[in-house]
Amino acid sequence: MDAKRMIHTIRYCTLLNSTQRGNYIRKKHIFGSIGKDVFLPFMILPLRCEYIFLHNNIEIASGVRLVPHDAIHGVFNRMNSKHDYEEHIGKIEIMDNVFIGTNAVILGPCKIGPNAIVAAGAVVNKDVPPGGVVGGVPAKIINTFDDIKKKRGSTKN
């Protein structure tokens, strides 16, 4: 981990609430972009943060990993003295009104459409359509955002 990323991670983890963490990421321009009302858990800041784009009204639960790169090129390069394999990097974009459940893994490149939910423990390795609810390994459509919203209903009397 480079020094700048380590300093940002330490500072980020000292912030006591998810709103402050979102504001810190925005102020320091750590991600490619970050919108309003983005709630982030404690996490080690991912490598290649500049490839992460978060829109508005996003809640990310604890243990979620955002991974915009892979590392298989290292294995391939150690097999080949030419070292002609490059790191694969892909943009992660999370649109408006998205919830990502505990311990989900989001692999780049992918786009999570607006009004979507990623279930706890899911591994997202391709785009999630608008209004989709995905779960499993690899993540697949299991419901719709509107169905979940309707089932939950309003809790106010």
Side-chain angles (χ1 to χ4, degrees), residues 37-39 54-60 94-95 97-98:
D37 298 321
V38 175
F39 300 93
L54 306 178
H55 291 252
N56 302 305
N57 192 26
I58 297 169
E59 186 142 353
I60 298 176
I94 302 174
M95 306 304 286
N97 310 318
V98 171

Side-chain angles (χ1 to χ4, degrees), residues 47-80:
L47 188 62
R48 309 288 189 211
C49 288
E50 65 273 21
Y51 289 91
I52 298 171
F53 296 80
L54 306 178
H55 291 252
N56 302 305
N57 192 26
I58 297 169
E59 186 142 353
I60 298 176
S62 63
V64 170
R65 286 167 286 165
L66 304 172
V67 186
H69 65 94
D70 69 13
I72 193 67
H73 67 286
V75 172
F76 294 153
N77 282 332
R78 285 186 295 278
M79 293 171 59
N80 176 353

Side-chain angles (χ1 to χ4, degrees), residues 20-150:
Q20 290 175 332
R21 290 188 290 272
N23 290 339
Y24 179 78
I25 296 289
R26 185 180 309 102
K27 179 181 175 184
K28 297 296 184 177
H29 306 284
I30 294 170
F31 287 175
S33 70
I34 184 169
K36 293 181 181 177
D37 298 321
V38 175
F39 300 93
L40 298 168
F42 287 109
M43 70 168 90
I44 294 174
L45 294 176
L47 188 62
R48 309 288 189 211
C49 288
E50 65 273 21
Y51 289 91
I52 298 171
F53 296 80
L54 306 178
H55 291 252
N56 302 305
N57 192 26
I58 297 169
E59 186 142 353
I60 298 176
S62 63
V64 170
R65 286 167 286 165
L66 304 172
V67 186
H69 65 94
D70 69 13
I72 193 67
H73 67 286
V75 172
F76 294 153
N77 282 332
R78 285 186 295 278
M79 293 171 59
N80 176 353
S81 62
K82 293 180 184 177
H83 295 278
D84 50 1
Y85 293 91
E86 294 182 4
E87 180 179 32
H88 177 82
I89 303 171
K91 178 180 178 181
I92 294 174
E93 186 167 17
I94 302 174
M95 306 304 286
D96 294 346
N97 310 318
V98 171
F99 173 76
I100 301 176
T102 301
N103 292 326
V105 178
I106 313 299
L107 302 172
C110 77
K111 180 178 184 178
I112 299 176
N115 303 327
I117 297 171
V118 175
V123 176
V124 177
N125 63 356
K126 61 183 176 183
D127 291 353
V128 174
V133 176
V134 298
V137 180
K140 296 178 183 172
I141 299 281
I142 58 173
N143 209 330
T144 69
F145 185 90
D146 289 337
D147 282 348
I148 299 292
K149 185 178 177 190
K150 187 176 177 181

